[in-house]
Amino acid sequence: MAKRDYYQVLGVDRSASEAEIKKAFRRLARELHPDVNAHDADAEENFKEAAEAYEVLSDAERRRTYDRFGHEGLRSGGFQPGAGFGSFQDIFEALFGGDPFGSGFAHGPAAGADIAAIVEISLEDVLDDQQREITFEAVSVCDRCRGNGAEPGTPIETCDRCGGTGQLREVSRSIFGQVVRAMPCDRCGGEGRIPQTPCERCGGAGRITEMRTWEVEIPAGIEDGQRVRIAGAGHAGAAGARQGDLYVEVRITPDERFTRQGTELISSAQVQVTTAMLGGEVFVPTLEGEVAIAVPPGTQHGAVAVINRRGLPRLHGGRRGDQHVVFELVIPADLDEEQREAAERLAEALGHNHESRDSSTSPAESPRITPPG
Ligand SMILES: [Zn+2]
Ligand SMILES: [Zn+2]
C-alpha cells in the first residue's frame, strides 16, 4: 500500500508549527483510540499511521529530511517507522502522561460501563425543573459480600501471583522512552484476593445484576434529545474502580398545538373575518391554559401576535421566550339569504364589485378549488 503524505495524515499544512502538529496528533489519537472506536477495525491501523506521521514531523531533523526527500529519503537515512512502538497505551502514557481518557482507560481495575435510559416529558414539563424516577437494570456491588466475593465470615487469601496488588507490571520500551505498564492480574482478576468460599448470592463475582431506581433531575428549558448525565449511577466496575455513568435522554412528547424554536413557541389562532375587520378577541392555548388575546380592527391573514413570556425558559436560566400566534382568517361559507344580503350591502358600501363582469366576450374561467389542508 502506498504511504500517505504525513501532513495529510495529520491534517495539517506543511508550515504547521510544532504545537499544531502535536495538537493534531492528540486529537486524532483520541478519535482513533480503540476504547472510543471499538467498532472500527481500521482504527488501530489508522492510529499507527498517525503515530508514524507524528514520530517524523515532531522531530525537526526527520521532518527536514522528509520535507526534502519524502518517505524514500527517510528510509535510506535509516529511519524505521514504528520500530520503537509499544502498544497504544504505551504511546498514550508516554505522550500525554498517564490516563488520557479518565479512568475509563484500561489501567488497573476496569471502570463500570455506562447506562443509557430514556425519559419522556411533555412540553409543559419544560417550564420547570422536573424530577423523574427511572428504574433500570444495573450491575451493582453485591451487598452480601460487599463486593469481595467471599461468603461472610470465610477467609480470603491474598493472591500469590500479584502479591495482593491486583496488578502485574510490565516494563517495555517505546520511542518515547521506557514505559511501565500495569495489567490486571490474570489469577485474581485484578482483585488481589481470592475468596475460599464463594459468596452464595453472587457466586464469588462480587457483583450482581439488579433493578435500580434513580431520581433524575431534568432542568427546565431542556430540548428534545438532550441528555442528562448522572456520574456514578451506571454499572459497578471491578473492585476499587469507579462506577459507570447514567445517561438519560430526554424526549419531549410532540404537542400539535405548538411548534418549538428554542425558547419560542409558535401557534395559530382562527379569527372570523368579521372579527378581523371590526376587532375583537380570540382564545389561544398557552402552556398554562387558554388566554384571550385582542384582535385589532383590520387584522390581516397571517399577521402574528406576540404574547410576551409565554414561551419556554432558557436551559440555564435567563429570560423566558415568547409565544407567537399566527392569525388565520376564517371566511364563512354557505351563507343564508339574510347573510348574503348583508354581505352584498357591505360589498356595496366598500365599493367592491361582486357581480359577474360583462360576460359577452368570454365566460369566466371556473378553476378547481382545493380547500386549505
Ligand atoms: Zn456476593
Ligand atoms: Zn492476583
Side-chain angles (χ1 to χ4, degrees):
M1 203 181 72
K3 270 188 174 305
R4 288 209 294 152
D5 175 64
Y6 288 145
Y7 291 97
Q8 206 185 330
V9 169
L10 293 183
V12 295
D13 53 49
R14 302 192 81 83
S15 60
S17 69
E18 223 171 283
E20 283 165 340
I21 286 168
K22 181 155 187 168
K23 199 172 149 209
F25 176 57
R26 192 186 271 256
R27 184 180 48 74
L28 264 180
R30 282 171 197 271
E31 259 170 42
L32 295 171
H33 182 267
D35 278 0
V36 180
N37 234 314
H39 55 279
D40 185 356
D42 294 335
E44 181 157 358
E45 278 315 303
N46 291 337
F47 177 81
K48 281 184 181 150
E49 191 185 27
E52 183 185 318
Y54 178 71
E55 192 182 357
V56 170
L57 299 185
S58 61
D59 179 302
E61 196 178 323
R62 283 189 200 133
R63 185 177 176 181
R64 261 195 309 277
T65 307
Y66 176 70
D67 284 346
R68 293 189 62 194
F69 307 110
H71 292 296
E72 203 50 52
L74 285 169
R75 215 167 309 142
S76 56
F79 171 67
Q80 277 193 321
F85 276 29
S87 70
F88 271 23
Q89 291 165 22
D90 296 342
I91 295 167
F92 269 94
E93 206 161 61
L95 255 186
F96 304 131
D99 192 353
F101 295 99
S103 42
F105 202 61
H107 283 285
D114 296 334
I115 293 176
I118 292 171
V119 155
E120 188 155 333
I121 62 172
S122 69
L123 198 54
E124 281 92 342
D125 292 336
V126 177
L127 289 176
D128 301 296
D129 294 342
Q130 302 289 322
Q131 281 88 39
R132 286 290 186 283
E133 257 191 8
I134 63 166
T135 299
F136 51 94
E137 198 172 66
V139 174
S140 302
V141 173
C142 172
D143 53 7
R144 184 173 175 87
C145 62
R146 293 207 195 87
N148 67 24
E151 188 59 14
T154 66
I156 302 175
E157 270 187 4
T158 299
C159 173
D160 51 12
R161 183 155 161 79
C162 62
T165 61
Q167 293 189 344
L168 300 175
R169 302 180 82 75
E170 190 183 82
V171 178
S172 62
R173 278 185 41 77
S174 85
I175 53 160
F176 304 105
Q178 200 178 62
V179 175
V180 180
R181 191 175 152 200
M183 297 180 307
C185 171
D186 53 5
R187 173 143 192 197
C188 60
E191 306 279 337
R193 305 189 308 163
I194 302 171
Q196 296 307 290
T197 313
C199 165
E200 259 175 28
R201 178 125 202 255
C202 63
R207 271 158 294 281
I208 48 165
T209 299
E210 59 179 9
M211 297 309 286
R212 190 185 297 169
T213 298
W214 207 273
E215 181 117 314
V216 180
E217 304 270 336
I218 301 164
I222 198 153
E223 298 264 356
D224 183 53
Q226 281 185 313
R227 299 195 303 174
V228 176
R229 172 172 171 263
I230 297 123
H235 294 299
R242 64 178 277 277
Q243 299 230 130
D245 300 329
L246 170 65
Y247 286 92
V248 180
E249 182 181 330
V250 178
R251 297 212 180 137
I252 298 166
T253 317
D255 187 327
E256 59 184 14
R257 300 171 300 168
F258 305 103
T259 303
R260 178 179 186 181
Q261 282 176 10
T263 61
E264 306 304 285
L265 288 178
I266 297 147
S267 65
S268 62
Q270 298 210 317
V271 180
Q272 294 301 325
V273 70
T274 46
T275 309
M277 287 190 290
L278 303 170
E281 54 182 44
V282 287
F283 289 95
V284 299
T286 71
L287 287 179
E288 291 132 316
E290 236 175 21
V291 299
I293 61 170
V295 179
T299 290
Q300 303 295 314
H301 180 77
V304 179
V306 177
I307 322 178
N308 284 336
R309 299 180 192 213
R310 288 287 187 168
L312 296 165
R314 212 170 285 285
L315 184 56
H316 298 296
R319 187 191 182 278
R320 186 175 163 185
D322 301 327
Q323 182 172 335
H324 304 249
V325 181
V326 182
F327 288 132
E328 291 175 353
L329 298 200
V330 181
I331 316 292
D334 303 322
L335 300 180
D336 66 20
E337 190 58 27
E338 190 190 343
Q339 293 161 344
R340 208 180 63 82
E341 279 169 15
E344 274 171 6
R345 279 201 303 281
L346 176 62
E348 214 164 293
L350 291 171
H352 296 165
N353 174 22
H354 67 283
E355 293 290 318
S356 300
R357 68 203 174 90
D358 177 7
S359 56
S360 58
T361 47
S362 62
E365 298 277 341
S366 296
R368 190 161 48 86
I369 311 274
T370 311

